[in-house]
Amino acid sequence: MTNGTSTETIPVGPTPAADERRLDAVRVAQNYGIYAVLVVIVIVATIVYSGFLSPDNIKLVLSQNAPLGIVAVGMTLVIIGGGFDLSVGAIFAVSGTAAAMIATHHGAAEGFVVGVALGLVCGLINAIVITRFRVNPFVATLGSSSLFSGVIMLISNSNPFFVEKTSFTWLGQTKLLGVQLPTILLGIVFLLGWLVLNRSVYGRRVLAVGGNPEASRLAGVRTDLVQGGTYVISGLLAAFAGAISASQLSVGQGTAGGTMALQSIAVVVIGGTSLLGGEGSMTRTAVGLLILATLDNIFFSLAVDTNWQLISQGIIVIGAVALDQLFRRMRTK
Amino acid sequence: MVPEATVADRETAVRCTAVSRSFGHTKAVVDVDLSVRRGEIHALVGANGAGKSTLLGMLSGRIAPSDGDLQIFGRKLQGGRPRESRAASIAIVYQELTIVPLLSAAANVFLGEELGHGGAIEERRMQRRFAELCREFEVEIDGTTVAGELTVATQQLLEIMRAVQRQTKLLLLDEPTASLSHRERDFLLGLMRRLRDDGVTIIFVSHNLDEVIAVSDTVTVMRNARKIETAPVGRWTKSDLVEAMTGEAPARVSRERRAPRGEVVLEASDVSLPGALVDISLDVRAGEVLGLAGLVGSGRTSLLRSLAGLEPASSGTLKIRGKDRPWPRSPRQALRKLDIALLPEDRKGQGLVLGMSVPDNVTMTDLGTVSRGGLVNDRAQLAKARALMEPFRLNRKVDRYPVSELSGGGQQKVVLAKYLNQNPSVMLVDEPTRGIDVAAKVEVLNAVREFAQRGKAVILTSSEIEEVLDVSDRILVIVAGRVGGEFEMDSESPGVRDVLDLAFELDDPTAPVTSRSAEES
């Protein structure tokens, strides 16, 4: 036709953008801005707290935040899959308390196994309520959170269970090659999470279902299984984190993990994973964790009122999402 | 007897026997018998609400039939389960594309059937297979591009690739060309023929009768949820089809050809939008319908959006009734300060609240007139909605059912009524007839003309060039963001060909930029 080319190809590739360079700048800011934020916070940390970068401090920060990080890996999957899990804190407490209770009477190993298995069951309950009975994930996990907490408080008589046996504290307090075991476990969970999300068929489907559930369903994806799976994984990891935390502190109690849900969501969101689902990454969650952990450490070292920490955390969460939205709008304009 | 039956089975791809489907009290498909031969392109045509999409939906497994029997390649289909249909090698490409916008092009093609080994994705193998598919389709697409950044036509191609990749034997296409430009449309029709020659059976729904006649082997006409007739394409002419679809001879937009003499209501000059529009100037008079013709992506829609304040990056100078006015920066400003309203292209996303009733939708912009003391008077609202919908022959009485229960044409009438009720002095109309049937089209276009005759200025665009020719008093042809030519419809009578000649003129990037003469003369 009027076109000189021989084969008739239809226009493909990215839609013509008005200002490629500006878009690229926005994209870079969106993709790498969070790393810049981390660097800035680390620099601030070294200024206000000279011991911040010392190996011992770094190890301490990582192992303290290992349970939170493990929960955040599960939360990342849930959120990418288009869901939400408010019950991680409750599951965290269920597992830690059950493990400690059992460890006082029986073996510590049985305690851990039962604790983690309970997390699996809790996750399964969430999955069924959300995908079978189609209860909105926010409501479903808000409800199940209260349910799980209530049950474990009832069973434990609201008592903390102190366990000093080394067979129990082993999980949270051993060191391997000078590094705390929880930190190593955190690394392994992150690696597995990354593999599942980036290299597995399941991870690809979580991204697809979160991005467009109807399209995925019509393409023959079992969307309920894929989404349900994220809650099971999240429950399992929350329970694992609860067991580690109980072992670190030598105590299991029903009130543990009270801020776990909000903190883990904060970690995921600060990293830039969209609450709308369909996009996000484990590396971003890792960066989010490091940012929160660093802040935590700064405030701890300054020995100021911990309420300042809450305030700064709140500002950072809202700021991160607002900034992400701004970049998004700039990209679509 | 027995061998004959098996031969027939082997040659039959689809056999529907007395298939019916109702949604509540609405009968969408009634008692349809249909048989589709293996390896043919079979077109389903009919007015909106005739039941084509529902029938297609049942074959795809998205909708379960309420009654009757579906057989695909001799196998009985329960229906209502997408996975079952997939197992029977059926694939469907919906009008609303089912792309996951954040995943890559290749990932979308392999969605649900990712190539992998022991649960691990094999990205490289998928990219390689994707490249092979591109070669087969004779297109160039980067498999790693995020699908949401591709054009609609390319996204649609991804879905067809998905089908081909799955060794689909029966491909269902629901209005595949509705949002494509002419060139993309021709490419798709060629691709359909190639797939058929490879042995794929294709059933497609289309409102474009020219392409139905051009590409299909057999045509089935549906009307009012029933099948009217199936015959080889050679036995149909375009007007036969329209007659079978509507049960009456084709109607035309009623109008008289004389130049509107009203005052110039809107005068825009040097309208620019980076990457889309270059120094466009236009004016429109009271009582005039100004048509914008051009290829998809030529800037027709961007121009309307700029005038409606939806493109903050746009610039230009604006005069309303001869007075200088600021360039609109937001839709609110355009509407409140300049009295310019845009009837949006995407009726489901932007024009309607689908879950709300017809009265709620139509009176949305002026609830005040049907309420007292902040409370909506239900009876007044319903009466007003009925009055507003009066000129449009809706096939269902206006009442408190959700708009989503109406057919596409019905929905478009509701949107139009809502905007006409706003009564702006300048109405911008973008693709008012996309995906609606012939009869509804004529009503919608007539309503637009009547609106103009009330002394209003209308600027309308559509990818159906015939429609623009039918309804406009004057036509600007938009070519690559500029005005490529102009037709005065009272003195000239251009055909589709004349418009296309202009529209394609600047399509070749090596050609010199010429012919703004038409505009200046």
Side-chain angles (χ1 to χ4, degrees):
Chain A
M1 300 235 261
T2 44
N3 204 319
T5 50
S6 54
T7 49
E8 250 217 299
T9 52
I10 58 167
V12 291
T15 43
D19 189 349
E20 276 298 335
R21 210 174 305 157
R22 191 183 64 95
L23 269 179
D24 282 345
V26 173
R27 211 167 291 170
V28 167
Q30 200 180 5
N31 288 339
Y32 302 105
I34 193 66
Y35 298 96
V37 171
L38 176 62
V39 169
V40 169
I41 288 181
V42 167
I43 290 171
V44 171
T46 50
I47 292 168
V48 300
Y49 174 34
S50 55
F52 178 74
L53 281 179
S54 74
D56 277 345
N57 186 55
I58 290 177
K59 282 184 207 163
L60 180 74
V61 168
L62 287 176
S63 92
Q64 273 175 346
N65 286 285
L68 174 61
I70 290 170
V71 173
V73 168
M75 189 65 79
T76 308
L77 267 186
V78 172
I79 289 178
I80 290 176
F84 214 68
D85 190 351
L86 289 174
S87 70
V88 286
I91 298 175
F92 183 89
V94 165
S95 159
T97 313
M101 275 174 75
I102 292 168
T104 50
H105 303 297
H106 309 279
E110 287 97 309
F112 292 137
V113 169
V114 171
V116 172
L118 282 175
L120 194 78
V121 172
C122 292
L124 211 55
I125 291 173
N126 282 336
I128 290 168
V129 170
I130 291 162
T131 63
R132 284 278 132 194
F133 301 113
R134 313 241 160 248
V135 179
N136 172 292
F138 190 89
V139 177
T141 55
L142 190 67
S144 69
S145 172
S146 164
L147 171 78
F148 302 151
S149 278
V151 169
I152 198 65
M153 290 299 236
L154 213 59
I155 291 175
S156 68
N157 253 331
S158 306
N159 286 329
F161 288 81
F162 296 94
V163 191
E164 296 295 348
K165 293 185 196 171
T166 50
S167 60
F168 185 77
T169 56
W170 158 86
L171 184 63
Q173 300 178 16
T174 340
K175 284 189 180 182
L176 227 78
L177 304 169
V179 181
Q180 285 90 337
L181 187 56
T183 309
I184 294 171
L185 293 172
L186 173 68
I188 292 172
V189 168
F190 256 108
L191 186 69
L192 287 177
W194 186 87
L195 281 174
V196 165
L197 191 60
N198 297 43
R199 290 280 183 269
S200 81
V201 171
Y202 177 71
R204 175 63 51 84
R205 291 192 178 157
V206 171
L207 281 161
V209 172
N212 189 343
E214 186 60 10
S216 308
R217 195 180 72 85
L218 294 173
V221 174
R222 303 281 294 268
T223 52
D224 45 353
L225 289 188
V226 171
Q227 266 178 332
T230 63
Y231 292 99
V232 175
I233 294 172
S234 168
L236 192 71
L237 288 178
F240 187 44
I244 292 173
S245 174
S247 167
Q248 277 178 322
L249 305 169
S250 315
V251 60
Q253 54 185 333
T255 54
T259 60
M260 198 44 88
L262 292 180
Q263 279 211 307
S264 60
I265 291 168
V267 164
V268 175
V269 165
I270 289 172
T273 292
S274 162
L275 280 180
L276 300 174
E279 65 179 322
S281 80
M282 288 298 167
T283 21
R284 288 178 156 273
T285 296
V287 174
L289 178 69
L290 292 177
I291 288 176
L292 268 199
T294 308
L295 271 184
D296 188 58
N297 196 234
I298 293 174
F299 284 105
F300 178 75
S301 68
L302 292 178
V304 291
D305 193 332
T306 51
N307 290 320
W308 283 108
Q309 191 180 339
L310 281 179
I311 292 171
S312 67
Q313 220 178 70
I315 292 172
I316 286 189
V317 169
I318 295 171
V321 177
L323 211 61
D324 188 54
Q325 286 296 333
L326 182 72
F327 288 147
R328 239 170 254 269
R329 271 207 306 282
M330 286 166 76
R331 269 181 73 166
T332 48
K333 277 282 155 62
Chain B
M1 192 64 202
V2 174
E4 254 177 25
T6 45
V7 167
D9 271 354
R10 215 174 297 143
E11 284 178 354
T12 306
V14 176
R15 185 186 298 284
C16 304
T17 318
V19 168
S20 301
R21 169 73 208 208
S22 327
F23 297 101
H25 292 298
T26 317
K27 288 184 172 126
V29 168
V30 178
D31 222 7
V32 167
D33 292 321
L34 178 71
S35 96
V36 176
R37 272 184 299 119
R38 217 171 238 253
E40 71 167 351
I41 298 182
H42 193 117
L44 279 182
V45 301
N48 275 104
K52 304 159 304 207
S53 291
T54 309
L55 187 59
L56 218 54
M58 287 192 278
L59 292 172
S60 77
R62 192 170 57 101
I63 302 168
S66 337
D67 210 353
D69 190 50
L70 289 174
Q71 274 192 26
I72 313 282
F73 301 113
R75 255 169 74 181
K76 195 170 151 44
L77 203 66
Q78 290 288 319
R81 292 201 300 248
R83 288 175 69 81
E84 178 197 34
S85 297
R86 269 221 7 250
S89 305
I90 305 170
I92 180 161
V93 178
Y94 295 98
Q95 204 180 343
E96 275 95 26
L97 296 176
T98 60
I99 284 288
V100 183
L102 295 165
L103 289 184
S104 72
N108 267 288
V109 169
F110 295 97
L111 183 64
E113 273 186 10
E114 292 80 1
L115 299 183
H117 187 77
I121 287 258
E122 289 181 301
E123 188 65 40
R124 241 176 275 149
R125 205 169 114 217
M126 285 203 283
Q127 291 292 350
R128 235 182 297 130
R129 178 81 188 100
F130 180 79
E132 276 168 35
L133 281 169
C134 286
R135 268 197 300 283
E136 237 172 86
F137 278 49
E138 293 171 26
V139 290
E140 280 175 41
I141 306 170
D142 178 1
T144 59
T145 316
V146 172
E149 292 180 359
L150 296 168
T151 60
V152 173
T154 315
Q155 294 181 355
Q156 190 183 48
L157 265 186
L158 294 181
E159 295 215 28
I160 298 176
M161 285 182 173
R162 189 190 288 166
V164 169
Q165 136 73 17
R166 287 177 168 175
Q167 315 279 317
T168 293
K169 288 193 283 181
L170 174 62
L171 179 61
L172 312 172
L173 302 170
D174 193 0
E175 293 204 39
T177 57
S179 44
L180 302 188
S181 69
H182 274 263
R183 219 146 46 97
E184 292 164 338
R185 176 178 305 191
D186 290 343
F187 176 84
L188 182 70
L189 297 184
L191 181 63
M192 283 165 68
R193 290 193 192 97
R194 255 187 289 159
L195 290 173
R196 172 195 57 194
D197 296 343
D198 289 343
V200 178
T201 309
I202 298 177
I203 303 179
F204 83 114
V205 166
S206 177
H207 282 304
N208 185 324
L209 299 180
D210 290 318
E211 84 190 18
V212 165
I213 288 174
V215 78
S216 50
D217 302 305
T218 311
V219 183
T220 292
V221 178
M222 292 186 72
R223 185 171 76 220
N224 292 333
R226 291 170 192 277
K227 185 180 100 170
I228 300 302
E229 200 183 343
T230 299
V233 69
R235 300 237 307 266
W236 293 103
T237 66
K238 204 171 157 185
S239 65
D240 290 343
L241 285 174
V242 172
E243 212 173 312
M245 279 162 64
T246 57
E248 58 193 60
R252 300 284 293 182
V253 177
S254 58
R255 55 171 305 190
E256 37 196 311
R257 303 262 171 202
R258 59 179 178 78
R261 294 274 167 260
E263 62 166 332
V264 175
V265 177
L266 176 145
E267 190 180 347
S269 26
D270 304 323
V271 184
S272 294
L273 177 65
L277 302 172
V278 190
D279 292 340
I280 287 189
S281 295
L282 60 84
D283 58 55
V284 55
R285 291 171 180 277
E288 181 179 39
V289 177
L290 174 68
L292 302 179
L295 305 175
V296 168
S298 61
R300 295 181 279 133
T301 295
S302 303
L303 181 54
L304 291 187
R305 286 175 55 87
S306 300
L307 291 171
L310 286 161
E311 298 285 357
S314 65
S315 60
T317 51
L318 186 68
K319 279 186 182 172
I320 301 280
R321 297 185 203 281
K323 276 192 217 129
D324 285 314
R325 301 304 302 267
W327 189 251
R329 294 272 165 235
S330 71
R332 188 182 167 82
Q333 189 193 357
L335 195 60
R336 295 282 166 89
K337 298 264 172 66
L338 308 170
D339 211 13
I340 301 175
L342 171 70
L343 184 73
E345 173 180 20
D346 170 12
R347 64 173 165 261
K348 287 185 180 160
Q350 299 166 359
L352 291 171
V353 183
L354 283 176
M356 276 167 63
S357 70
V358 178
D360 284 336
N361 269 288
V362 198
T363 60
M364 192 183 292
T365 48
D366 66 341
L367 269 179
T369 62
V370 290
S371 31
R372 187 174 294 163
L375 295 175
V376 177
N377 179 335
D378 278 357
R379 265 169 58 212
Q381 190 193 27
L382 190 60
K384 171 141 197 188
R386 286 195 172 137
L388 290 171
M389 291 306 294
E390 178 67 42
F392 303 98
R393 281 176 301 161
L394 212 55
N395 55 8
R396 228 177 123 180
K397 194 171 181 218
V398 172
D399 218 323
R400 302 208 171 267
Y401 51 82
V403 172
S404 56
E405 287 182 12
L406 290 174
S407 66
Q411 292 178 6
Q412 187 64 22
K413 291 175 190 173
V414 175
V415 181
L416 193 60
K418 168 180 152 189
Y419 279 83
L420 295 183
N421 180 32
Q422 273 187 347
N423 205 20
S425 40
V426 181
M427 172 84 95
L428 312 175
V429 186
D430 195 3
E431 296 280 2
T433 63
R434 166 170 299 169
I436 72 175
D437 69 73
V438 185
K441 257 179 199 175
V442 172
E443 282 174 63
V444 163
L445 294 179
N446 272 332
V448 169
R449 279 215 65 83
E450 274 161 30
F451 184 71
Q453 267 147 25
R454 276 159 42 196
K456 307 293 182 173
V458 176
I459 309 180
L460 173 143
T461 186
S462 164
S463 40
E464 304 273 338
I465 293 169
E466 279 144 326
E467 218 172 273
V468 180
L469 290 171
D470 256 8
V471 78
S472 310
D473 296 303
R474 193 153 54 87
I475 291 175
L476 293 183
V477 183
I478 309 294
V479 186
R482 297 166 198 271
V483 175
E486 181 171 352
F487 295 105
E488 293 280 355
M489 298 301 287
D490 61 324
S491 51
E492 302 167 76
S493 43
V496 173
R497 190 76 238 173
D498 302 307
V499 173
L500 275 182
D501 283 349
L502 275 177
F504 275 113
E505 190 172 46
L506 291 186
D507 203 37
D508 183 355
T510 57
V513 178
T514 54
S515 121
R516 300 191 59 202
S517 53
E519 187 196 6
E520 276 132 31
S521 62

